[in-house]
Amino acid sequence: MERVLHLARRMAGLRLAEYEGSAIARAAWKDVPEPGAESGVRLQRRGSRFLQLRCTETEAPLAGEITVSLILGKMRQGKARKAKAATRREGTPWRAFSRDEILAFVTAAGDENSIHRRARAVVPGLLILRELLAEQPHVQAAELRFFHPLCAGEEVRFVPEKQGFLAMAGGEEKFFCRLHKREEAHRKKEAEAAPF
């Protein structure tokens, strides 16, 4: 999905020194920006250990809005949240990201965070978002909450959860995702307005 890559480029353009070694804790995407919103990147909140950024594009066909919360500082390989034994074996296989895919995305986005470029590269949260949205074209909003870094080569399995799904890899909970689909009436209205 080109819109996510476009917004990722805008965010990377800030060139914040604190970004090196940081990791996304949360990401929220909307296909329609707030009414009256202006295109650009804004620092929403800053703390001693976190940043919250909002990136908006109002011009079609790349219109959309992403809000990310970053945990600042060198990413620690802390204790991962372990899932229940039954959950570790269940789930629907989704995919694994290759190091080449990761490098292609961060290069295209201008993302210079070294965690995405090392031998055991961390998959960018916005690359995960882009792939989810590419597979779900009727999604109007998405929310992701990251628990532990997903690295190149780790196979993701989705486990249904209340109001979303949990992404597992290697018996660890990697992220939770909630997708909000357009209502059928909204899709019908769009189809009627289409010029072809």
Side-chain angles (χ1 to χ4, degrees), residues 7 27 30 38 55 74-75 86 92 103 105 143 166 187:
L7 293 169
K30 294 189 290 186
E38 293 180 16
C55 184
K74 298 296 179 195
M75 189 181 70
T92 304
L103 289 174
F105 181 82
E143 303 166 55
L166 184 63
R187 277 185 272 171

Side-chain angles (χ1 to χ4, degrees), residues 99-166:
R99 186 169 186 275
D100 288 344
E101 282 179 283
I102 295 166
L103 289 174
F105 181 82
V106 296
T107 299
D111 185 338
E112 296 179 2
N113 191 340
S114 65
I115 66 172
H116 305 308
R117 298 176 183 276
R118 59 188 183 202
R120 188 167 152 86
V122 173
V123 181
L126 297 183
L127 173 56
I128 293 169
L129 175 63
R130 183 183 80 171
E131 295 303 306
L132 287 168
L133 294 175
E135 293 179 10
Q136 300 288 327
H138 297 295
V139 169
Q140 69 179 10
E143 303 166 55
L144 287 88
R145 187 173 65 239
F146 296 91
F147 305 121
H148 194 70
L150 176 66
C151 294
E154 292 185 301
E155 183 186 19
V156 176
R157 300 179 71 81
F158 289 138
V159 177
E161 292 265 314
K162 186 177 182 180
Q163 298 182 0
F165 56 87
L166 184 63

Side-chain angles (χ1 to χ4, degrees), residues 31-188:
D31 69 345
V32 178
E34 294 292 326
E38 293 180 16
S39 291
V41 183
R42 288 165 206 69
L43 178 63
Q44 296 291 107
R45 295 187 337 190
R46 180 190 294 261
S48 61
R49 300 280 297 141
F50 76 94
L51 283 177
Q52 185 179 56
L53 301 169
R54 176 168 292 154
C55 184
T56 305
E57 177 58 66
T58 58
E59 297 296 319
L62 298 174
E65 183 174 275
I66 294 178
T67 303
V68 295
S69 297
L70 300 167
I71 297 174
L72 300 179
K74 298 296 179 195
M75 189 181 70
R76 295 181 181 91
Q77 292 293 335
K79 223 177 183 179
R81 292 174 38 149
K82 294 288 183 183
K84 297 175 196 165
T87 304
R88 280 186 239 155
R89 291 187 296 273
E90 295 175 11
T92 304
W94 181 45
R95 62 164 302 166
F97 291 86
S98 71
R99 186 169 186 275
D100 288 344
E101 282 179 283
I102 295 166
L103 289 174
F105 181 82
V106 296
T107 299
D111 185 338
E112 296 179 2
N113 191 340
S114 65
I115 66 172
H116 305 308
R117 298 176 183 276
R118 59 188 183 202
R120 188 167 152 86
V122 173
V123 181
L126 297 183
L127 173 56
I128 293 169
L129 175 63
R130 183 183 80 171
E131 295 303 306
L132 287 168
L133 294 175
E135 293 179 10
Q136 300 288 327
H138 297 295
V139 169
Q140 69 179 10
E143 303 166 55
L144 287 88
R145 187 173 65 239
F146 296 91
F147 305 121
H148 194 70
L150 176 66
C151 294
E154 292 185 301
E155 183 186 19
V156 176
R157 300 179 71 81
F158 289 138
V159 177
E161 292 265 314
K162 186 177 182 180
Q163 298 182 0
F165 56 87
L166 184 63
M168 304 287 301
E172 297 173 343
E173 296 178 355
K174 298 297 184 171
F175 62 91
F176 176 79
C177 183
R178 181 177 301 146
L179 302 175
H180 304 277
K181 294 188 178 185
R182 288 185 186 97
E183 295 177 33
E184 193 63 37
H186 182 70
R187 277 185 272 171
K188 184 179 177 185

